[in-house]
Amino acid sequence: MQKQRIISPSILSADFTNLTREIKRIEAAGVTRLHLDVMDGRFVPNITFGPMIVSAIAGLTRCHLECHLMIKDPSAYFEQFIKAGADTVIFHCEASADIAGDLQQLRDKGVRAGLSLKPDTDPDVLIPYLDLLDYVLVMSVYPGFGGQEFISETLINMRKIVELRAGRPFLIGVDGGVNLQTIRQVYETGIDVAIVGSGFFGAGDLQQRHRDLLNA
Ligand code: DX5
Ligand code: ZN
């Protein structure tokens, strides 16, 4: 039996002048999970949006919202993103002073706890937290911008994390440069969720693109 695959479009590549229409198109394409990239201009050299936009999106959709926090001092903002409607909150291990405490805090507040790693962070960093994780987000580009080229060396990190999971129930997602050309090698590592920004919204027919990405 084939493993379940999930495509989580990154809203960063959508048309922000008409989010209502974009969310309708996304849902009509059969998407059930959405990736929201929060950047603070400090952890990464770019600024995107905060809880206000997350809350606006949450009001428009029934999709599962995964909030990718690329921000310093993430736990200071957990509450705001949860109130805004995030279902999974993902923070960066490189940004946290207390990874176990932060993961536990998210679970205690009733959302899924996700941890993300930059391309050059050793996946072994996850070992102490394996039983506290609901989601691991492996970066396949350096965080900061959509539309970057997939870094093939990160396939090693994906394989390693699938191995570390060893039957545990958490999901593994891959983020950055995933498109019709790169997605097959990503699936081959055994991950569950592919985040697709430019490679999704760049299509004229989103339903067809969603299908093509699932069946690649
Ligand atoms: C990068 C973001 C990604 C990005 C994905 O910092 O975390 O989610 O928007 O976009 P593409 O698929 O265009 O690389
Ligand atoms: Zn992201």
Side-chain angles (χ1 to χ4, degrees):
M1 201 186 75
Q2 201 186 45
K3 225 162 118 0
Q4 203 206 346
R5 295 169 167 178
I6 302 167
I7 302 295
S8 182
S10 165
I11 199 80
L12 212 52
S13 295
D15 177 2
F16 272 72
T17 64
N18 201 335
L19 278 177
T20 308
R21 190 192 60 205
E22 290 293 72
I23 299 286
K24 278 203 185 109
R25 287 172 74 215
I26 293 165
E27 290 190 339
V31 167
T32 57
R33 189 175 176 102
L34 260 185
H35 184 87
L36 309 183
D37 284 310
V38 175
M39 306 187 191
D40 66 352
R42 287 160 55 80
F43 180 71
V44 288
N46 193 13
I47 300 177
T48 56
F49 52 80
M52 214 177 95
I53 298 288
V54 172
S55 163
I57 293 170
L60 294 170
T61 183
R62 290 163 64 181
C63 284
H64 182 104
L65 298 179
E66 52 171 67
C67 244
H68 179 192
L69 303 184
M70 288 162 276
I71 64 177
K72 282 196 171 172
D73 195 13
S75 62
Y77 301 91
F78 285 168
E79 192 83 42
Q80 289 190 50
F81 285 99
I82 294 168
K83 273 212 187 102
D87 298 293
T88 294
V89 174
I90 307 150
F91 64 90
H92 268 265
C93 60
E94 304 89 355
S96 168
D98 176 13
I99 295 174
D102 288 351
L103 290 168
Q104 193 58 57
Q105 198 194 135
L106 288 172
R107 285 183 153 190
D108 290 346
K109 291 186 194 301
V111 292
R112 308 266 169 92
L115 192 57
S116 187
L117 312 80
K118 291 184 186 177
D120 54 7
T121 297
D122 187 339
D124 278 352
V125 70
L126 299 175
I127 292 173
Y129 315 111
L130 292 171
D131 292 312
L132 286 172
L133 291 167
D134 297 306
Y135 191 46
V136 174
L137 186 69
V138 192
M139 295 302 302
S140 38
V141 300
Y142 286 91
F145 301 91
Q148 301 184 74
E149 198 176 320
F150 183 79
I151 303 171
S152 310
E153 286 78 11
T154 60
L155 289 163
I156 300 168
N157 294 350
M158 296 168 211
R159 285 187 211 110
K160 182 87 194 275
I161 293 166
V162 169
E163 205 178 293
L164 284 175
R165 171 162 62 177
R168 291 180 184 80
F170 62 81
L171 290 176
I172 304 173
V174 172
D175 188 14
V178 181
N179 53 40
L180 284 175
Q181 283 69 48
T182 55
I183 199 163
R184 185 197 274 271
Q185 353 165 31
V186 169
Y187 284 142
E188 277 168 5
T189 65
I191 63 93
D192 315 281
V193 183
I195 318 310
V196 190
S198 44
F200 182 80
F201 289 96
D205 181 344
L206 294 187
Q207 188 172 14
Q208 187 59 46
R209 180 57 56 91
H210 186 216
R211 233 181 274 137
D212 291 346
L213 287 164
L214 284 173
N215 298 325

